[in-house]
Amino acid sequence: MKRFMLFTAVFILAATGSMAELTIDRIVSNEFYGRTASSFTPMSDGEHYLMSTGRCIIRYSFRTGEATDTLFNVETVRGDRLSSFQGFILSPKEDRILIQSGRTKIFRNSYSASYYIFHIGNNRMEPLSRGGEQQAPKFSPDGNVIAFVRDGNIFLVKLLFNNAESQVTKDGMAGSILNGVPDWCYDEEFSISSAYEFSADSKMLAFVRFNCSEVDKYDLPEFLTMTADGEPEQDLMKTRSVWYPVTGSDYSTVSVHSFDIKSSVTREIPLNISADTYVPRIAFVEDENNTLLVFTINRNQNQMEIYSANPRSTVSSMILRETDERYIEPEEFLNTKLYGEQFIMESERDGHNHLYLYGTNGKLVRQLTSGEWEVLEFHGWDPKSGTLYYTANRENPLQSELYRQDGKGRVTKLSGNKGGNNTSSFGSGLKYYVNTWSDLNNPPLVTVCDNSGKQLRVVYDNADIRQSVEKEGFVRREIFSFQTSDGTTLYGWIVKPADADGTRKYPVLMYQYGGPGHCEVIDEWGSGFYAGGSLENWMLKEGIICVCVDGRGTGRRGAEFKKQTYLNLGVMESDDQVEAAKYIATLPYVDKDRIAIWGWSYGGYNTIMSMSQGTPVFRCGIAVAPVTDFRFYDATYTERFMRTPGQNDRGYQNANAISRIGNLHGRLMIVHGLMDDNVFFTNTSAYTHALIEKGIVFDMMVYPDKEHSLVGASTRKHLFLRIMDFLKTNLTDNLTDK
């Protein structure tokens, strides 16, 4: 149940326009995010990178920032033509580019599109395939073959043989058999969009086959469908099928296969694993045997095993086993980076997330980082010098800095002494990196630096965003901490009037998420629902103070703090929101009788759980797309933290928001999209049915044909106007100075 992204882009330029009144239109348009460097394609020389404008692909110098060449231009390309494009993939030899046109969403991370092969040398473009859209295309390491998936089958296009297309698998079938691409659960909960790899010598292909035939299918209602010319169709209702395993049910069984490209021989690699074992990753080792590493994790997700397999003989053996008494985070296998016959893996085995160096025989070489802090992102390692680059919160759990650690363990902070949070993206060879710094009250500063930390240039300073929020009179967000009744220290941020001194009492709206490992209280510009505290400042214009507190179970504070909610989701999290409300109520400028709470997804669930915790501290609340009974949620996510209902019946009972309805205090509004394929509308249906049976009056907003994130500016605008209307009725009605 990840917190969804509000938008994606490569380089985002928010149009500030005129300095008009702060409106919800400006907020939902993402105006206040500013420009960020979220994606670039480094080139092999380590000196240059590529960026797309949607019509051109331009090569830039890391050091100077100057554009040195335009590699692709829709206006001048020969052969097939496009008016624009959405993405691109550079070949390993950097002589060809796959150009992506259009995008048909499949799951959160997966989509199909029409791809074109652009030949840089002769400026000519041609279709990758004429048989329909392609999914998850990849170049072979030698750049001579492109693989892709269509309708659950893997295809190869051999560029040296006049783009001859061949089919590797033939049993693929949507919703039943998927070769080389993930099902819904793997995509959603392991964040993968492909499940196949080329060997380093480009002679072999390995892939995971997903058999979804035993997974339960659900039909989501689609009431308003549109024709190609934008007119509504006359059908009363259509449905879209989703194969979705709820907790305790069957999910996809998987198998691992190899394909010899020259001989066209496919082999299954036998693994000593049970039928309900996950295989979230495969990776080839750069050795003479094309050794394949297969990462597996058991159903309870507390035991990871790595198998070493010969893709030709299919002989395999388990080389490493990692266990945890509670659960293993997916990042341990997803973020593992291979370096020849060694790899670096993340692990929480010592209580904090750190880096460990292994040989590809599974033998631990040494632990690379240690301490009571978290490695938040591992950027790379130079095997020759032993130098590591990583982002960590060594100094403050709410902040992050970029560090370089040499082969002797000596650590240098590269990101200065500004506090806040840093995110970094390195180019090839780890020579340069793009760094984005921000804090709660300063928009992103994007710079290019060399690997000594020296700033070479400023890419974006977002001065226009800074000027805009200053002109609008944005109130600074302040970080605070307090101790709960059991002595736990919790962190939060608050948006309150600058002159709040106790002469006036304000209502409060608490925002939270609270899901395992996730944080909302981070010292960065994007913390909160919209960047820069823009939504909170809009609320403040209506006289509402906004607060956010991260409770137990959230991340960045070590495994013990995060995993204490194991087998008992919802209880500590809601207790802590109640504790936060009680603390906020003691502040001299807060009206203790007018405190509300809201959240989305896990935050919606936490809203309901907190309002029915038994302590009547919330006057009202808004739950958007909430889980109400984890027996309705997906197996992969829920069982990681709760095991199956058969193993943990009491935990599921305690986590069931429906069973708490008798303790519900305050007016509740529930919001849900009918096409939500993440948190099914069943959750809201079951909960509201129980409310009706108990005669409890509530408010409800249903969005037809909308999914979990309720995307679209008009939808988001409507949602927040509806939320504000609800708050005016139930939180600020008849409000007078006290």
Side-chain angles (χ1 to χ4, degrees):
M1 201 190 306
K2 303 179 189 69
R3 186 184 188 277
F4 49 85
M5 296 299 294
L6 297 176
F7 64 95
T8 58
V10 177
F11 272 66
I12 300 163
L13 173 57
T16 57
S18 62
M19 295 304 176
E21 178 187 6
L22 178 61
T23 64
I24 196 62
D25 296 85
R26 296 176 65 192
I27 295 167
V28 301
S29 71
N30 300 320
E31 173 182 327
F32 296 99
Y33 279 89
R35 295 174 174 181
T36 62
S38 59
S39 178
F40 64 94
T41 299
M43 302 193 74
S44 60
D45 64 2
E47 297 289 339
H48 297 87
Y49 61 92
L50 302 181
M51 292 297 302
S52 164
T53 67
R55 294 178 61 82
C56 298
I57 298 173
I58 303 172
R59 180 171 61 195
Y60 293 89
S61 165
F62 269 114
R63 178 167 289 277
T64 67
E66 294 179 355
T68 62
D69 194 10
T70 297
L71 300 188
F72 175 79
N73 188 327
V74 296
E75 299 290 342
T76 60
V77 65
R78 299 191 303 158
D80 286 70
R81 303 289 292 271
L82 299 169
S83 60
S84 63
F85 63 97
Q86 286 68 53
F88 70 92
I89 302 171
L90 182 65
S91 72
K93 292 182 179 179
E94 301 182 346
D95 58 344
R96 298 182 177 93
I97 303 176
L98 269 181
I99 304 294
Q100 179 203 114
S101 174
R103 180 178 290 195
T104 301
K105 179 184 174 182
I106 300 174
F107 306 128
R108 183 191 293 262
N109 301 292
S110 303
Y111 57 88
S112 62
S114 295
Y115 288 87
Y116 295 82
I117 306 169
F118 173 65
H119 302 266
I120 297 176
N122 61 15
N123 193 39
R124 181 172 292 277
M125 188 166 71
E126 58 192 333
L128 171 61
S129 173
R130 299 184 186 276
E133 289 191 343
Q134 305 92 46
Q135 183 178 349
K138 292 181 184 180
F139 282 97
S140 61
D142 63 10
N144 295 329
V145 178
I146 300 174
F148 67 85
V149 177
R150 180 190 294 127
D151 298 327
N153 284 311
I154 300 173
F155 293 79
L156 297 179
V157 174
K158 297 182 179 180
L159 304 181
L160 299 183
F161 294 88
N162 198 30
N163 296 354
E165 183 176 311
S166 60
Q167 189 167 342
V168 175
T169 64
K170 298 182 179 180
D171 60 344
M173 185 182 304
S176 181
I177 302 294
L178 300 175
N179 293 287
V181 289
D183 66 1
W184 184 91
C185 265
Y186 277 73
D187 177 290
E188 177 70 22
E189 304 303 352
F190 294 132
S191 301
I192 62 174
S193 57
S194 72
Y196 74 89
E197 296 290 340
F198 281 100
S199 62
D201 64 5
S202 303
K203 295 180 179 179
M204 301 289 295
L205 190 76
F207 62 94
V208 180
R209 177 182 183 270
F210 298 82
N211 184 343
C212 316
S213 59
E214 299 301 316
V215 179
D216 291 332
K217 184 180 79 168
Y218 298 89
D219 294 326
L220 301 180
E222 187 175 17
F223 291 99
L224 182 63
T225 57
M226 311 298 286
T227 61
D229 58 3
E231 292 297 321
E233 292 185 344
Q234 297 303 308
D235 299 274
L236 289 176
M237 186 184 77
K238 291 184 176 181
T239 59
R240 177 166 65 87
S241 297
V242 178
W243 282 259
Y244 185 101
V246 296
T247 54
S249 70
D250 292 333
Y251 48 78
S252 296
T253 57
V254 297
S255 54
V256 180
H257 303 259
S258 65
F259 177 75
D260 189 311
I261 295 175
K262 183 177 181 179
S263 66
S264 298
V265 174
T266 302
R267 304 174 176 91
E268 180 175 352
I269 297 175
L271 301 169
N272 185 26
I273 58 177
S274 62
D276 58 0
T277 298
Y278 296 101
V279 180
R281 187 179 177 192
I282 56 175
F284 276 104
V285 175
E286 293 185 25
D287 63 8
E288 59 184 13
N289 296 320
N290 283 328
T291 301
L292 179 70
L293 297 185
V294 180
F295 295 75
T296 73
I297 190 161
N298 64 335
R299 179 158 195 156
N300 286 339
Q301 298 177 63
N302 60 0
Q303 179 173 289
M304 180 187 73
E305 295 178 339
I306 301 178
Y307 288 80
S308 176
N310 185 310
R312 288 188 171 86
S313 70
T314 73
V315 174
S316 65
S317 61
M318 192 265 290
I319 61 168
L320 187 151
R321 175 179 290 139
E322 172 98 346
T323 61
D324 190 295
E325 63 180 6
R326 286 166 289 198
Y327 60 88
I328 291 173
E329 289 284 9
E331 285 72 22
E332 290 200 18
F333 40 84
L334 296 177
N335 293 348
T336 295
K337 290 181 170 61
L338 276 67
Y339 298 91
E341 297 188 29
Q342 292 181 303
F343 63 84
I344 292 177
M345 185 178 79
E346 297 181 14
S347 174
E348 294 180 320
R349 69 186 62 168
D350 72 352
H352 293 271
N353 193 55
H354 284 296
L355 302 175
Y356 296 79
L357 177 64
Y358 282 89
T360 52
N361 59 3
K363 302 297 183 183
L364 176 65
V365 178
R366 63 183 178 275
Q367 182 173 349
L368 299 173
T369 63
S370 62
E372 294 187 1
W373 45 270
E374 306 279 295
V375 172
L376 301 174
E377 186 175 5
F378 170 43
H379 301 291
W381 178 56
D382 179 356
K384 292 183 179 179
S385 66
T387 302
L388 288 168
Y389 297 89
Y390 57 85
T391 298
N393 60 350
R394 295 175 67 113
E395 301 174 18
N396 185 314
L398 310 187
Q399 300 176 344
S400 66
E401 306 282 0
L402 175 66
Y403 295 92
R404 182 185 66 220
Q405 179 174 308
D406 67 21
K408 295 183 179 179
R410 294 173 295 198
V411 176
T412 302
K413 183 167 67 173
L414 302 183
S415 49
N417 297 291
K418 298 178 181 178
N421 268 264
N422 292 270
T423 58
S424 306
S425 298
F426 278 77
S428 302
L430 303 173
K431 190 174 182 180
Y432 302 103
Y433 63 93
V434 177
N435 193 77
T436 302
W437 172 87
S438 72
D439 66 17
L440 277 173
N441 299 298
N442 286 283
L445 172 66
V446 183
T447 59
V448 173
C449 306
D450 65 23
N451 60 12
S452 70
K454 179 183 178 182
Q455 180 177 305
L456 303 178
R457 57 189 173 89
V458 174
V459 182
Y460 301 125
D461 64 5
N462 284 303
D464 53 342
I465 301 298
R466 183 176 292 103
Q467 293 168 5
S468 179
V469 300
E470 288 176 357
K471 188 165 186 176
E472 294 295 342
F474 273 33
V475 174
R476 292 178 63 84
R477 286 181 284 181
E478 300 174 11
I479 291 175
F480 66 90
S481 64
F482 70 97
Q483 282 198 330
T484 65
S485 57
D486 69 357
T488 301
T489 298
L490 299 181
Y491 295 99
W493 50 254
I494 186 170
V495 177
K496 61 182 176 64
D499 60 354
D501 57 7
T503 58
R504 177 185 174 185
K505 303 286 188 179
Y506 293 87
V508 171
L509 177 63
M510 293 173 52
Y511 169 67
Q512 43 65 49
Y513 182 79
H518 184 85
C519 291
E520 289 292 342
V521 182
I522 303 175
D523 188 14
E524 66 180 5
W525 183 250
S527 184
F529 200 84
Y530 281 99
S534 52
L535 182 65
E536 290 76 23
N537 274 272
W538 181 69
M539 296 280 186
L540 191 59
K541 286 177 53 183
E542 301 295 334
I544 302 172
I545 287 176
C546 293
V547 173
C548 181
V549 172
D550 278 344
R552 287 170 292 178
T554 54
R556 299 172 74 108
R557 296 179 63 179
E560 186 57 40
F561 186 85
K562 176 177 64 176
K563 295 180 180 180
Q564 60 188 306
T565 61
Y566 183 61
L567 299 182
N568 209 26
L569 289 185
V571 178
M572 291 183 183
E573 300 95 307
S574 56
D575 286 347
D576 286 348
Q577 292 305 309
V578 169
E579 290 267 4
K582 291 165 69 175
Y583 166 75
I584 293 298
T586 67
L587 300 178
Y589 44 81
V590 168
D591 184 341
K592 65 181 178 61
D593 296 319
R594 297 179 186 268
I595 298 177
I597 185 170
W598 88 280
W600 198 308
S601 195
Y602 200 102
Y605 164 70
N606 203 9
T607 293
I608 295 173
M609 292 289 283
S610 300
M611 293 178 68
S612 51
Q613 184 261 5
T615 306
V617 294
F618 297 108
R619 186 182 181 100
C620 59
I622 303 105
V624 183
V627 169
T628 61
D629 184 341
F630 273 105
R631 293 175 301 174
F632 299 148
Y633 199 57
D634 85 71
T636 306
Y637 179 92
T638 307
E639 292 174 11
R640 182 182 306 152
F641 311 116
M642 292 284 283
R643 298 199 174 185
T644 67
Q647 294 172 298
N648 183 26
D649 179 64
R650 180 177 295 275
Y652 278 83
Q653 290 181 35
N654 293 338
N656 189 341
I658 299 171
S659 67
R660 284 191 172 196
I661 279 180
N663 291 329
L664 181 66
H665 181 270
R667 185 69 172 235
L668 175 65
M669 180 170 80
I670 299 183
V671 180
H672 218 126
L674 286 179
M675 287 286 286
D676 194 331
D677 66 349
N678 184 326
V679 179
F680 281 8
F681 188 78
T682 302
N683 287 272
T684 285
S685 179
Y687 191 82
T688 55
H689 175 77
L691 290 173
I692 293 167
E693 288 297 305
K694 288 188 175 293
I696 298 174
V697 178
F698 63 96
D699 293 72
M700 189 171 183
M701 184 67 231
V702 174
Y703 287 96
D705 306 312
K706 287 298 181 179
E707 298 180 345
H708 190 59
S709 56
L710 300 176
V711 294
S714 59
T715 302
R716 287 289 179 87
K717 176 183 178 180
H718 185 276
L719 169 64
F720 286 109
L721 289 176
R722 180 69 183 89
I723 287 175
M724 181 56 73
D725 180 71
F726 175 83
L727 293 174
K728 286 181 177 179
T729 301
N730 296 284
L731 186 68
T732 66
D733 59 321
N734 303 316
L735 186 64
T736 57
D737 291 352
K738 293 188 178 181

